[in-house]
Amino acid sequence: MDVRIKMEESLIVVIVEGSIDSNTSGELQTKIMGKISESNNVILDLSKVDFISSAGLRVLLMVYRQIKVKNGKVVLVGISEEIKDVMTMTGFINYFEMTETIEEANKLF
Amino acid sequence: MKKATESRNFIASLDSLEPMRDFVSQKGSEAGLNKKQIYGLCLAVDEISTNIILYGYQSSGITDGVISIKINFENDIFVVILEDKATPFNPLEARTPDENELGLPLEERKIGGLGIMMAKESVDEFRYEFKDGKNLNIFSVKALDN
């Protein structure tokens, strides 16, 4: 898994590549949490994520909770059909806005 | 691939999760399973192996544990068996979130049992057996005529 974080005005963009499983989720969580206090809104680009387990969902949940208390928004970008299925199955799908591209996500702020 | 039996051993470490999923993906794809079925099997293998690695072996004090993956494909049924010698644990008896809990706002959600629930939902059949001192977690999917 590879994580890149870009800070923009009142917005952080997190670009993840690879798999988010219980081996990699800790690193993702640490990286995002280190930056999240600087922002009210998060764009999570998951278009290059091929696999996400419950450990990955746990990170999404944590990000959502942090941002929610600040009345901010979390937008997920480019999630695959399979990951969408997992999010539907677990009810997570209802809490995130989703777009196909980063450009579309930017328009939501 | 009409019929096949394969087996591979993995060190019970979180570093093995990716190679385990790759092994199952590759064999699933050779058997003609679709993307969704392969993803579901990888998810089940990942979630249950994570539990075995983090809780099963740890709680039995074994530091050099092994998880074997056995794959059997016959009569259009693709079966993945996870074998381990950790503390006996039947995930199918573990408590998983119910409909009401899944509908709760994310702020109020508890996360326990989610992985096992996801594993159950992701395959056609999930069975557990304890045999000859081994936990067997057995996932099956039916290859569809594509």
Side-chain angles (χ1 to χ4, degrees):
Chain A
M1 185 197 62
D2 185 52
V3 185
R4 278 183 298 142
I5 299 185
K6 291 193 282 187
M7 302 298 295
E8 291 174 15
E9 259 177 81
S10 77
L11 178 69
I12 65 173
V13 181
V14 183
I15 303 159
V16 191
E17 255 187 89
S19 299
I20 314 176
D21 59 17
S22 45
N23 198 30
T24 59
S25 62
E27 183 196 339
L28 177 63
Q29 186 176 325
T30 308
K31 286 190 170 160
I32 299 181
M33 289 303 163
K35 291 284 179 195
I36 211 164
S37 58
E38 299 169 33
S39 169
N40 289 343
N41 296 298
V42 176
I43 292 178
L44 254 170
D45 183 350
L46 302 177
S47 53
K48 293 201 170 123
V49 170
D50 50 19
F51 180 83
I52 186 161
S53 72
S54 63
L57 291 184
R58 216 168 281 145
V59 177
L60 295 186
L61 177 65
M62 219 161 290
V63 173
Y64 175 85
R65 282 178 171 160
Q66 292 281 329
I67 291 296
K68 177 87 182 174
V69 292
K70 297 195 275 192
N71 286 318
K73 210 189 294 190
V74 184
V75 182
L76 307 181
V77 175
I79 64 170
S80 70
E81 274 310 304
E82 289 75 26
I83 295 176
K84 219 171 265 179
D85 285 345
V86 170
M87 294 193 60
T88 304
M89 173 202 297
T90 52
F92 273 59
I93 198 132
N94 304 317
Y95 303 100
F96 297 95
E97 292 194 46
M98 293 183 204
T99 63
E100 293 290 322
T101 63
I102 290 233
E103 290 72 35
E104 289 170 71
N106 269 308
K107 287 183 193 149
L108 295 173
F109 295 102
Chain B
M1 185 169 87
K2 281 283 159 226
K3 193 174 166 179
T5 311
E6 301 267 356
S7 137
R8 195 172 292 178
N9 290 341
F10 297 87
I11 294 164
S13 143
L14 294 179
D15 284 327
S16 297
L17 292 174
E18 187 153 21
M20 289 168 103
R21 296 193 305 266
D22 288 346
F23 177 60
V24 172
S25 276
Q26 192 199 328
K27 297 300 156 198
S29 151
E30 286 169 14
L33 301 184
N34 66 34
K35 237 174 130 186
K36 197 184 157 109
Q37 292 175 314
I38 292 172
Y39 192 92
L41 281 168
C42 285
L43 193 57
V45 165
D46 182 285
E47 295 292 350
I48 299 305
S49 299
T50 294
N51 282 350
I52 296 166
I53 295 162
L54 293 181
Y55 309 114
Y57 276 120
Q58 206 174 50
S59 67
S60 53
I62 299 171
T63 51
D64 58 348
V66 169
I67 299 176
S68 306
I69 299 186
K70 292 192 171 151
I71 288 173
N72 192 25
F73 183 55
E74 206 178 343
N75 302 324
D76 287 339
I77 306 289
F78 189 87
V79 183
V80 177
I81 304 172
L82 288 185
E83 255 187 40
D84 69 83
K85 291 181 182 169
T87 308
F89 174 69
N90 181 354
L92 298 172
E93 286 174 358
R95 199 185 160 279
T96 53
D98 62 22
E99 286 281 314
N100 286 335
E101 283 168 287
L102 291 177
L104 281 177
L106 273 195
E107 298 88 308
E108 294 166 30
R109 288 277 288 272
K110 293 196 185 78
I111 207 88
L114 197 60
I116 292 174
M117 188 209 90
M118 284 160 67
K120 279 196 224 169
E121 296 279 325
S122 304
V123 293
D124 293 345
E125 192 187 45
F126 179 177
R127 286 186 296 126
Y128 169 83
E129 288 172 23
F130 186 75
K131 215 164 145 185
D132 304 327
K134 290 176 189 167
N135 290 295
L136 306 180
N137 285 281
I138 305 159
F139 313 116
S140 353
V141 300
K142 189 175 189 321
L144 306 163
D145 294 321
N146 294 312

